[in-house]
Amino acid sequence: MSMSVMTNKRNEQGHLMIGNIDAVRLAEQYQTPMFAYDVSAIRNKARAFKSAFEQAGVNYEVAYASKAFSCIAMVQLAHEEGLSLDVVSGGELYTAIQAGFPMEKVHFNGNNKSRREIKEALQAGIGCFVVDNFHELELLEEECNNLQTQTNILLRITPGIEGTTHSYISTGGEDSKFGFDLFNGQAEEAVAKSLSIPAIQLQGLHFHIGSQLFETSVLTEAIATLYRHIEHWHTLHGFTPEVINAGGGFGISYTRCDEPLEPQAFVKAIVHSIREESGRCYLPLPEVWIEPGRSIVGEAGTTLYTIGSQKEIEDVRHYVSVDGGMTDNIRPALYGARYEAELANRVKQQDEKTYAIAGKACESGDMLIYNLPLPTVNSGDLLAVFSTGAYGYAMANNYNRLPRPPVVFIENDKHQLVVERESYADLVRNDRPLEKE
Ligand SMILES: *Cc1c(COP(=O)(O)O)cnc(C)c1O
């Protein structure tokens, strides 16, 4: 059964509790819309992944995929929990630098890293690049030579296997913009090419099947497929992977229909499969790396909104609008993502009606939830939307010149602002007035 959705705590006033803090108090202090993260939930997920690896008895790295939610405090929290960090842009790398994150634990992913980003990452001394394509391999070689430095890489392989997930968040199939193809020979060519570049150490291979996975079989299938090729590359090119990175994508619970696996189940299946396959090929057991993003932060985040206007269309729909929407959570509009929510000021009161929760942006598609049973809603009620910790703030935007919400970390009895609400001044900060004649 879903975790954050079903186990909401309430206090004696019937208010939602986040950590040990009353959500109504949070909304009074920080105003809405706002993101509230339960830090203990983040720590617990990080620890669950790590302890699963400890139990599996393998050398490992758990890299937090910071694109799910990146800010200085979050990167620092990842470091406190002993995670490595996956970045996909110069901006995420910069955030990691500002957070004081150890650069040797940073991995750089992405299908179109610019020359500037590559140079910045080399200068920062990151742990490795996950090289996606031949263009990047060339840029990387050139920049290594320019800076007279060397670097570690993994090659991102597209294993031709798709997770059963939305096509926009599926990445492992053959028709994907990501990675070197296994079946048309690109991957082998990339292995051979990487091995021939003196400035580049090919540490191993990477794949990322897609997001919101609810089964382990796609991962183990990908590993088996990959090893059939590794075996071949070992014979032909003397290549022995020291690292296999199985990516992220571990599913979480957005609604009570989602039944995610525990971190342990994914880790166990991945390690078991790699152990078996490497053994079968008489190759040493490599380090096993993963890159969870959503599963680390998704369920830990809750968005608090205030309900404003309502519009009832008899026998059609009863719209209620909140003070945010696609500007702080574009996932429903972008790929039909589903969420659950409750009135944070009246948790677990009897539901009386089905409402459609609309955002405030000027787009008909700016809807958060289409069918949400709630008690009779009044303007001024506080709506808590659950499991918004991943790809919520990270995808937030300023459409309609709405300032992005603040982010608050809550741990037990403490709460702390970690990202300020944008101001109107922030919105025009990069604007330049028209030049006078
Ligand atoms: C997005 C992404 C991840 C993280 O995916 P989640 O679904 O957030 O766990 C990991 N690795 C790569 C390469 C990605 O693109």
Side-chain angles (χ1 to χ4, degrees):
M1 204 30 88
S2 66
M3 286 172 271
S4 63
V5 176
M6 299 309 291
T7 58
N8 298 322
K9 283 191 302 179
R10 62 172 167 174
N11 62 16
E12 55 289 350
Q13 291 139 286
H15 295 174
L16 176 71
M17 300 289 283
I18 300 174
N20 292 335
I21 308 287
D22 182 331
V24 175
R25 261 188 54 209
L26 285 173
E28 278 165 9
Q29 175 162 351
Y30 298 103
Q31 306 295 298
T32 59
M34 64 170 282
F35 284 94
Y37 282 81
D38 182 350
V39 171
S40 312
I42 298 175
R43 293 195 196 279
N44 289 342
K45 280 301 183 81
R47 289 170 195 183
F49 279 112
K50 290 186 68 189
S51 73
F53 275 110
E54 304 285 344
Q55 275 175 36
V58 68
N59 291 327
Y60 69 92
E61 278 189 45
V62 177
Y64 168 58
S66 68
K67 73 171 194 257
F69 169 51
S70 174
C71 69
I72 287 174
M74 182 59 221
V75 171
Q76 289 173 331
L77 182 59
H79 182 42
E80 275 186 17
E81 290 302 323
L83 304 180
S84 299
L85 197 73
D86 166 29
V87 302
V88 296
S89 71
E92 285 183 5
L93 174 64
Y94 181 79
T95 306
I97 294 169
Q98 295 304 305
F101 197 89
M103 285 298 123
E104 67 278 8
K105 292 175 74 177
V106 172
H107 314 156
F108 198 165
N109 261 295
N111 70 302
N112 192 21
K113 303 173 187 81
S114 68
R115 185 183 288 280
R116 175 180 162 181
E117 286 173 323
I118 287 170
K119 191 172 166 189
E120 288 165 351
L122 284 171
Q123 283 169 332
I126 66 162
C128 82
F129 289 82
V130 181
V131 174
D132 187 277
N133 53 68
F134 292 108
H135 173 68
E136 179 182 346
L137 203 53
E138 278 165 32
L139 287 181
L140 191 55
E141 181 180 11
E142 284 171 23
E143 286 309 312
C144 278
N145 293 340
N146 289 343
L147 296 168
Q148 304 216 316
T149 187
Q150 302 203 329
T151 192
N152 296 320
I153 68 164
L154 305 181
L155 291 174
R156 177 162 182 173
I157 308 294
T158 315
I161 289 162
E162 310 211 27
T164 48
T165 183
H166 193 286
S167 65
Y168 284 18
I169 53 178
S170 169
T171 58
E174 198 180 1
D175 181 11
S176 165
K177 72 168 178 172
F178 296 105
F180 296 100
D181 264 40
L182 258 192
F183 296 103
N184 64 13
Q186 272 182 5
E188 180 178 344
E189 193 186 332
V191 168
K193 180 122 202 274
S194 305
L195 290 171
S196 75
I197 301 173
I200 283 174
Q201 266 69 54
L202 176 59
Q203 277 189 304
L205 305 174
H206 169 287
F207 65 87
H208 171 73
I209 301 282
S211 280
Q212 270 301 70
L213 303 176
F214 288 103
E215 59 199 3
T216 58
S217 58
V218 283
L219 292 162
T220 55
E221 237 180 278
I223 291 162
T225 306
L226 192 56
Y227 263 94
R228 281 199 287 281
H229 293 262
I230 291 173
E231 202 176 2
H232 189 57
W233 302 338
H234 180 70
T235 317
L236 276 176
H237 307 287
F239 167 62
T240 306
E242 294 155 37
V243 172
I244 297 289
N245 186 331
F250 313 116
I252 67 161
S253 162
Y254 285 100
T255 73
R256 62 199 75 216
C257 300
D258 300 326
E259 290 177 23
L261 295 172
E262 294 295 322
Q264 156 130 19
F266 284 112
V267 170
K268 227 173 134 176
I270 291 167
V271 173
H272 178 79
S273 174
I274 292 176
R275 184 172 268 136
E276 217 173 58
E277 289 296 325
S278 55
R280 188 181 61 71
C281 302
Y282 302 102
L283 289 170
L285 179 65
E287 285 191 24
V288 180
W289 295 4
I290 57 169
E291 298 166 335
R294 188 189 315 271
S295 52
I296 299 281
V297 292
E299 291 173 359
T302 303
T303 311
L304 299 175
Y305 301 101
T306 302
I307 287 172
S309 63
Q310 304 196 25
K311 174 182 177 181
E312 184 164 13
I313 311 167
E314 202 85 41
D315 300 325
V316 177
R317 219 181 271 290
H318 188 144
Y319 288 94
V320 304
S321 295
V322 295
D323 50 359
M326 65 184 285
T327 44
D328 55 76
N329 186 359
I330 202 171
R331 297 186 68 257
L334 189 61
Y335 33 65
R338 295 187 162 199
Y339 288 87
E340 277 184 21
E342 277 199 77
L343 294 181
N345 53 328
R346 295 191 272 139
V347 177
K348 295 196 172 75
Q349 270 192 10
Q350 193 60 44
D351 294 336
E352 287 159 318
K353 252 184 128 156
T354 298
Y355 292 96
I357 308 300
K360 72 179 263 120
C362 299
E363 283 284 330
S364 294
D366 180 19
M367 297 293 297
L368 289 174
I369 304 175
Y370 277 94
N371 292 298
L372 180 67
L374 285 176
T376 300
V377 166
N378 303 314
S379 296
D381 275 333
L382 195 62
L383 188 76
V385 179
F386 302 112
S387 291
T388 59
Y391 307 105
Y393 186 82
M395 288 187 173
N397 59 80
N398 294 124
Y399 181 52
N400 289 184
R401 292 236 141 172
L402 296 179
R404 277 176 295 183
V407 180
V408 176
F409 271 11
I410 295 135
E411 190 158 23
N412 306 320
D413 298 316
K414 295 211 177 81
H415 50 102
Q416 183 204 335
L417 187 65
V418 296
V419 183
E420 283 185 44
R421 183 184 303 282
E422 273 178 331
S423 65
Y424 291 148
D426 291 331
L427 295 175
V428 297
R429 192 177 44 192
N430 298 322
D431 294 8
R432 292 292 175 267
L434 202 56
E435 283 174 14
K436 295 243 166 58
E437 284 296 306

